[in-house]
Amino acid sequence: MKIPLLIVTFLSVLGSSLFAAEPVAITVIEDFSDPKDNPQFNTDVATVLVALSQSHPLILSYRVVEESSEAQAPQAKFEPFTREMPTPPQEGLRLGDYQRAVAKFQADLAAWKNGKDGYLQWRETQKASAQAWLAGALRKQTETSQRFARELARRRGDYRRSDVCGAVLTAAKADFPPGHHGYLILVSDLKDQPLGRAGRTTPLKELPPEITLVLAHPSATRSPLIAGLPNRVISAPTLAEAVKLVSAALTPTNPTALAEGAPPSGTP
């Protein structure tokens, strides 16, 4: 699969050093069980998320709500480039000393750029990880949304199966290691209708309270699954807007953006 160049534009910004903040884990879950809901995850969304690896150790996961939950999901791990750029020699040295200092600086700078652990190798590794994750996520999105549409047509509009609780709890268990700031972005109405059993209508109290829920569906805030949870719950009208809020909150220059942009939404 050919990945648009947009996914690697985040790599064009280069400073003398990059700030490494606390690790972050972000999972996007999409739900296509309602025939009126269409996929929203795309290259633009992925680019905003991957760009966070400039400043954070980052785990990105993509999941879809299916008839029953699956443990596996497209996932990528990123580490920011934190190796300091060599410092050029100071002026005022004797010519011979300055020449030797310049030669050492140029050798160190070449290693910083082209060495085994240099910037260019890091850049290629990041690009490969980003492309593989995006390809896997789009493949999963396409296969699942097509299957749901096929069943919808075959059953003449009478098909709605969604293990929402399974998808959310599986993601919470598998995608958020200890010590990571967790953001679970849900593009779902949060109506639990799994195949072969009754849907759940009680709060997901098993959900780790440190995970922030970001709801990107107009009906999600009314779901009984999140009623009264201690988790921080915020909402956005679309996945793209939800991702922008998370990105702004995690940008070192604007740490309060999430609170300012979208205060916690009320739950029933």
Side-chain angles (χ1 to χ4, degrees):
M1 179 184 296
K2 184 177 180 182
I3 306 300
L5 185 61
L6 184 58
I7 189 61
V8 296
T9 57
F10 76 97
L11 291 165
S12 62
V13 179
L14 174 62
S16 60
S17 65
L18 297 177
F19 172 75
E22 292 183 295
V24 174
I26 301 173
T27 293
V28 175
I29 297 181
E30 281 200 296
D31 181 359
F32 315 123
S33 58
D34 187 336
K36 297 187 293 295
D37 292 336
N38 298 310
Q40 296 185 40
F41 181 84
N42 55 31
T43 303
D44 291 347
V45 167
T47 299
V48 175
L49 291 173
V50 172
L52 293 170
S53 65
Q54 292 181 81
S55 56
H56 294 268
L58 180 65
I59 299 175
L60 294 177
S61 303
Y62 175 84
R63 294 179 178 272
V64 293
V65 174
E66 302 194 57
E67 293 89 341
S68 58
S69 62
E70 289 190 359
Q72 299 298 319
Q75 187 177 91
K77 297 181 180 181
F78 303 93
E79 292 290 338
F81 187 75
T82 57
R83 184 174 173 182
E84 291 288 342
M85 184 181 292
T87 303
Q90 296 180 349
E91 297 182 5
L93 297 174
R94 291 185 300 177
L95 179 58
D97 292 337
Y98 185 70
Q99 288 175 321
R100 285 187 289 272
V102 167
K104 183 180 184 305
F105 167 75
Q106 293 296 352
D108 291 344
L109 185 61
W112 184 90
K113 292 187 298 182
N114 305 307
K116 180 180 179 181
D117 298 318
Y119 171 74
L120 292 179
Q121 184 185 66
W122 170 83
R123 186 180 189 278
E124 290 304 309
T125 299
Q126 297 286 90
K127 181 170 67 174
S129 296
Q131 290 181 339
W133 179 66
L134 176 59
L138 293 178
R139 188 179 303 113
K140 187 67 174 176
Q141 180 193 70
T142 300
E143 292 172 352
T144 306
S145 59
Q146 182 184 41
R147 187 178 74 250
F148 269 66
R150 186 184 299 116
E151 288 296 324
L152 182 71
R154 188 171 72 87
R155 297 169 187 254
R156 299 184 180 183
D158 183 22
Y159 187 74
R160 183 181 170 91
R161 299 289 186 271
S162 53
D163 186 9
V164 170
C165 291
V168 170
L169 294 178
T170 297
K173 182 178 180 179
D175 300 346
F176 301 96
H180 285 64
H181 290 294
Y183 293 87
L184 184 54
I185 304 176
L186 299 168
V187 192
S188 170
D189 58 11
L190 296 185
K191 293 180 180 179
D192 189 47
Q193 296 177 306
L195 182 64
R197 58 183 173 84
R200 180 167 170 171
T201 57
T202 57
L204 293 171
K205 294 183 178 180
E206 310 96 310
L207 196 65
E210 62 271 16
I211 294 177
T212 296
L213 300 179
V214 186
L215 309 180
H217 191 286
S219 300
T221 56
R222 299 190 295 271
S223 172
L225 299 180
I226 61 170
L229 294 183
N231 304 73
R232 184 175 190 188
V233 180
I234 64 170
S235 60
T238 64
L239 174 58
E241 290 301 317
V243 166
K244 288 179 181 178
L245 282 174
V246 173
S247 176
L250 293 172
T251 300
T253 56
N254 194 13
T256 62
L258 191 57
E260 294 170 354
S265 58
T267 54

